[in-house]
Amino acid sequence: MKDLSGKVFNKAEEILLNDKVKSPSMVAGLVSSEIYYVLSQFFEIQRNSFSSNIHAEADGVLNISFNFKANRVLIKKQPNQFE
Amino acid sequence: MGRKIAVVSGKGGVGKTTIACGLALALAKKGSNVCLIDLDVGLNNLDLLLGVENKVVYDISDVLKGKCRISQALINDSAFEGLYLLPSARFEEQSFDAKDVKLLSDKLVSMFDYVIIDAPAGINNNLELALASANEVLVVVTPHVASLRDADKVISIVKGKEFENVQLVINRIRGDMVVRKEMLSHSQIQKLLKLPLLGVIPESDDINIYSSFKFERISKSGSVDAFMVLAHNIKSDKKILFDYTSKYKGLLGVIRRNLKRSI
Ligand SMILES: Nc1ncnc2c1ncn2[C@@H]1O[C@H](COP(=O)(O)OP(=O)(O)OP(=O)(O)O)[C@@H](O)[C@H]1O
Ligand SMILES: [Mg+2]
């Protein structure tokens, strides 16, 4: 029995992957500004050290990493903490 | 409070209307009160499929414009007591506000156990309408690459919103071809799309789903069984798989498979 469905599966996987690879760079740009905003409330982020990387793995799973350097952790005053 | 389920696909012609209709019939048969909303503006055919096209007086646009009450627009099919249809607008140029449609489906869901929304094909404004009026989504795919590809896009859109449940229904699968490895199997499709699988509906020659249900005892259609399993899964939050290949396995199966191939 020839495994035609296996071939179709591989083809489909490849196509869905290609579709995904096209959008991540766009998404990365959008998402990283949000992430940067959130992180900058907790860290003093070094200028230009923030980078993001998204790529699609072979099985279509997105591998996403955000990287940055921080000069310090920002201490937020908790309500009632110093009273 | 009932549940509002949108049936979407991306690619056209994969069976949204058939699935919405079959699911509604199966749920009604199990004793639930079901309202089908036809949001396929201009290309409405749920009324045809249910054989009630002659009963349509008002449609969804009349309700939204306040020309009639909801109860005046709802059509009941006497063969299935709990099943009602809200017909779609008959003219293409109608465009609705998502907020109004959502309000309408909220009203309906207080009257019914299930509100099932038949979405139009494509990724467009009308898809947004269908999504706005639901809190659960069924994505319909067939075992073909083009359908999977469009479904994947729709899934990305759907996942960008907050839905309680986004699940997959595979339509038009052929047990004989899957056994011969000539067609993607349900597990391969699930692996590609990464969604929970709620049901499979096999390719069927007598897919006039309405008459299959109505004349079930005579027709003995396999698709009715598949829809009953789907309805059971929806109702009781299960993932029982309708076995679409068993017919084609074993000695009898070999004969059936070869018969299918030769016709
Ligand atoms: N399981 C099935 N077996 C055989 N034929 C089917 C099956 N499901 C759907 N069909 C047929 O495929 C055609 C398209 O189905 P349907 O109208 O349900 O698709 P749709 O997704 O609603 O289309 P549209 O995008 O135009 O609204 C119909 O002729 C229908 O009878
Ligand atoms: Mg349709």
Side-chain angles (χ1 to χ4, degrees):
Chain A
M1 199 180 331
K2 51 181 186 325
D3 184 6
L4 211 69
S5 65
K7 276 194 193 131
V8 177
F9 179 83
N10 291 339
K11 184 80 202 156
E13 195 164 49
E14 188 190 315
I15 290 175
L16 296 191
L17 183 66
N18 276 336
D19 288 347
K20 278 205 180 105
V21 174
K22 272 180 240 149
S23 45
S25 48
M26 202 179 75
V27 177
L30 276 174
V31 175
S32 59
S33 68
E34 300 280 316
I35 302 270
Y36 182 86
Y37 172 75
V38 173
L39 290 173
S40 63
Q41 298 188 313
F42 298 92
F43 302 97
E44 188 182 291
I45 298 176
Q46 247 183 34
R47 232 170 224 272
N48 300 330
S49 76
F50 190 87
S51 68
S52 65
N53 191 358
I54 299 190
H55 75 270
E57 290 180 351
D59 55 356
V61 171
L62 296 178
N63 190 329
I64 308 170
S65 61
F66 293 98
N67 201 298
F68 66 97
K69 289 181 179 156
N71 292 326
R72 63 178 75 248
V73 178
L74 301 175
I75 296 173
K76 299 255 163 173
K77 186 175 173 259
Q78 302 282 313
N80 301 327
Q81 198 181 343
F82 300 114
E83 278 167 23
Chain B
M1 199 58 152
R3 292 160 65 180
K4 300 177 287 181
I5 305 171
V7 182
V8 308
S9 74
K11 187 166 159 41
V14 299
K16 292 173 295 297
T17 303
T18 306
I19 303 283
C21 191
L23 175 60
L25 285 161
L27 286 167
K29 200 169 165 233
K30 281 179 174 291
S32 298
N33 291 314
V34 187
C35 178
L36 267 169
I37 306 184
D38 192 345
L39 269 187
D40 206 344
V41 182
L43 298 168
N44 49 323
N45 40 30
L46 263 176
D47 54 345
L48 272 178
L49 208 54
L50 290 171
V52 293
E53 71 277 9
N54 291 329
K55 291 192 189 172
V56 176
V57 180
Y58 297 109
D59 63 39
I60 186 169
S61 72
D62 297 316
V63 179
L64 289 172
K65 286 185 199 142
K67 282 193 191 161
C68 69
R69 280 175 279 117
I70 296 181
S71 58
Q72 288 175 296
L74 288 174
I75 301 172
N76 171 240
D77 170 27
S78 43
F80 296 89
E81 215 182 303
L83 180 61
Y84 285 78
L85 169 69
L86 180 58
S88 81
R90 282 154 289 181
F91 305 104
E92 187 93 58
E93 65 269 22
Q94 313 266 4
S95 72
F96 308 131
D97 192 36
K99 259 186 250 139
D100 296 338
V101 180
K102 184 182 181 312
L103 268 177
L104 176 60
S105 81
D106 283 344
K107 267 187 209 148
L108 286 168
V109 85
S110 66
M111 303 157 61
F112 290 91
D113 301 321
Y114 294 91
V115 173
I116 296 176
I117 302 132
D118 181 18
I123 294 175
N124 51 32
N125 212 22
N126 289 334
L127 172 69
E128 292 294 327
L129 281 185
L131 293 178
S133 47
N135 49 17
E136 293 176 55
V137 180
L138 293 185
V139 181
V140 179
V141 285
T142 60
H144 307 103
V145 178
S147 160
L148 295 174
R149 189 181 193 188
D150 287 357
D152 203 43
K153 285 183 196 138
V154 167
I155 293 167
S156 291
I157 291 172
V158 171
K159 289 272 179 169
K161 304 179 194 289
E162 282 168 22
F163 282 103
E164 292 166 20
N165 247 332
V166 183
Q167 304 182 92
L168 199 63
V169 176
I170 300 172
N171 188 26
R172 307 199 77 155
I173 200 156
R174 283 186 52 178
D176 58 327
M177 290 182 74
V178 169
V179 169
R180 291 201 303 263
K181 297 203 170 174
E182 290 172 3
M183 181 179 263
L184 290 174
S185 68
H186 68 279
S187 52
Q188 284 175 313
I189 294 170
Q190 212 189 342
K191 206 165 157 198
L192 287 166
L193 294 179
K194 303 179 181 65
L195 274 192
L197 177 62
L198 193 70
V200 288
I201 306 296
E203 173 85 29
S204 146
D205 303 330
D206 59 317
I207 194 69
N208 184 334
I209 192 63
Y210 175 72
S211 39
S212 300
F213 267 90
K214 197 165 174 180
F215 307 110
E216 198 197 339
R217 249 167 291 149
I218 313 164
S219 74
K220 273 260 160 269
S221 153
S223 44
V224 170
D225 297 337
F227 277 114
M228 292 309 283
V229 173
L230 178 66
H232 174 78
N233 284 347
I234 292 246
K235 259 188 116 111
S236 43
D237 199 19
K238 295 263 165 51
K239 299 272 182 315
I240 295 169
L241 181 72
F242 173 74
D243 189 354
Y244 60 97
T245 55
S246 62
K247 245 169 63 180
Y248 304 105
K249 286 179 180 157
L251 185 60
L252 258 175
V254 173
I255 299 169
R256 282 206 190 95
R257 251 152 60 201
N258 285 322
L259 266 177
K260 268 237 158 185
R261 209 204 297 248
S262 59
I263 49 174

